[in-house]
Amino acid sequence: MEKMLQKIDWDKFRIRSRRDWVIFWVFAALICYAAGSRYAYRADRWLFRFANPYMSDLNQPYTWGQLMVFLFLLAVVAEAVLFLCGKTVKAKVLVLAGALLMPMVILAGYRIHTDLIVSPLWKEEPRSITIFWGEAESEKRVQQRELTAEERQKLSDLLQNMTIITDEDTLGALEEWYLEVASERFGLEDSISLVFAEKYGHSYDLRLRIYDGKVYIWRGYSDSGTEITFFEDNGIVEWLDVLKAASENRR
């Protein structure tokens, strides 16, 4: 290996012209992009905690994490080039400042994008609505897709006027309740699933879960742990109970 390296004419790889610099940066960008695709998962997990609270990990746009890793690596390469080429301190500081500001810019763009993805809930009719429920001590599930026009309108009004619980003490109690009680019923809670058409580069599926009188969205995992959005009950628990009773009577 040492003899092979000695035979290589390294002088041919020196960057001498503008064309050489273009080739260098093209290859550097491609390598950074490939690395971004490989290591974007951790960045996406970090970004997810800042997503719109109606957003689940199933709907998360994953291009932002890749962009973050790509730009960070490209900034590292640029800073290394500036040092090796003996460029001015001003240029080095500008690249460093850009690298530090980049996560905040991407975070702002990511939040705006997730806000747009969930916005059809307040603007459009869903492509489909599916209601799931079951007995408290049974894994038997009931599925209902057909709703009357009145039921659909009432459901839409309730979903569009939910209030997110933000009080820290209340949230702490609800998180403890979830870990002790609701997590054992994961996937078996009563739920309302709405699917919207793709818009803003991503489709949006909302799955609202209802159990033990609590209303919430299980959003997925981030670096900080399980992400759950809890809502105040604005009448949606009663609405679902009425729907369940009506369905039982029809059967």
Side-chain angles (χ1 to χ4, degrees):
M1 177 62 73
E2 185 178 349
K3 292 182 178 180
M4 290 180 61
L5 293 175
Q6 290 176 350
K7 291 180 179 179
I8 296 175
D9 186 2
W10 295 104
D11 191 58
K12 293 181 179 179
F13 293 94
R14 293 187 63 182
I15 298 175
R16 295 185 176 86
S17 64
R18 180 176 297 180
R19 177 174 173 272
D20 293 338
W21 278 112
V22 170
I23 294 173
F24 169 80
W25 284 115
V26 167
F27 275 95
L30 290 174
I31 293 171
C32 292
Y33 181 82
S37 301
R38 175 66 178 80
Y39 297 104
Y41 176 72
R42 187 173 294 277
D44 286 323
R45 289 281 294 269
W46 179 79
L47 283 169
F48 184 54
R49 73 176 74 176
F50 303 103
N52 185 287
Y54 284 79
M55 170 73 61
S56 73
D57 57 359
L58 294 176
N59 309 128
Q60 183 185 12
Y62 288 107
T63 52
W64 293 95
Q66 181 175 340
L67 178 63
M68 178 177 285
V69 177
F70 164 71
L71 291 178
F72 172 78
L73 293 176
L74 198 61
V76 170
V77 173
E79 195 71 27
V81 169
L82 291 176
F83 271 98
L84 291 174
C85 294
K87 297 298 182 180
T88 62
V89 174
K90 181 180 179 180
K92 298 171 186 176
V93 171
L94 286 175
V95 172
L96 180 61
L100 295 175
L101 288 173
M102 174 267 299
M104 291 184 283
V105 175
I106 289 178
L107 180 58
Y110 173 81
R111 178 56 192 249
I112 292 171
H113 192 192
T114 60
D115 287 344
L116 290 172
I117 290 173
V118 306
S119 64
L121 175 63
W122 294 271
K123 298 178 181 178
E124 302 176 9
E125 286 290 319
R127 291 192 304 178
S128 67
I129 300 176
T130 309
I131 316 294
F132 300 91
W133 70 83
E135 298 296 329
E137 303 300 329
S138 170
E139 294 189 4
K140 182 180 179 181
R141 307 292 289 158
V142 177
Q143 175 178 309
Q144 180 167 328
R145 293 179 178 273
E146 298 300 325
L147 299 177
T148 66
E150 183 180 355
E151 289 170 339
R152 290 178 67 97
Q153 184 58 52
K154 180 63 175 177
L155 175 61
S156 178
D157 291 342
L158 289 169
L159 292 175
Q160 292 175 5
N161 291 282
M162 293 191 297
T163 301
I164 296 174
I165 295 175
T166 57
D167 179 73
E168 292 185 4
D169 293 336
T170 304
L171 281 175
L174 287 170
E175 288 168 0
E176 288 183 11
W177 164 83
Y178 179 82
L179 293 174
E180 294 175 3
V181 180
S183 60
E184 297 180 1
R185 296 284 299 174
F186 182 76
L188 299 175
E189 318 97 322
D190 296 343
S191 63
I192 301 169
S193 177
L194 287 81
V195 179
F196 293 88
E198 182 175 335
K199 202 169 186 180
Y200 304 110
H202 211 290
S203 60
Y204 177 54
D205 301 346
L206 169 68
R207 186 150 188 169
L208 189 71
R209 301 172 188 270
I210 300 174
Y211 181 60
D212 195 23
K214 311 293 193 300
V215 182
Y216 57 98
I217 298 174
W218 189 90
R219 300 175 55 213
Y221 298 102
S222 74
D223 281 349
S224 58
T226 304
E227 299 289 336
I228 301 176
T229 301
F230 290 96
F231 299 92
E232 296 178 5
D233 178 15
N234 63 348
I236 199 164
V237 174
E238 181 182 358
W239 177 88
L240 182 57
D241 288 340
V242 171
L243 179 70
K244 290 158 64 174
S247 177
E248 290 295 328
N249 291 336
R250 285 195 293 267
R251 289 193 295 172

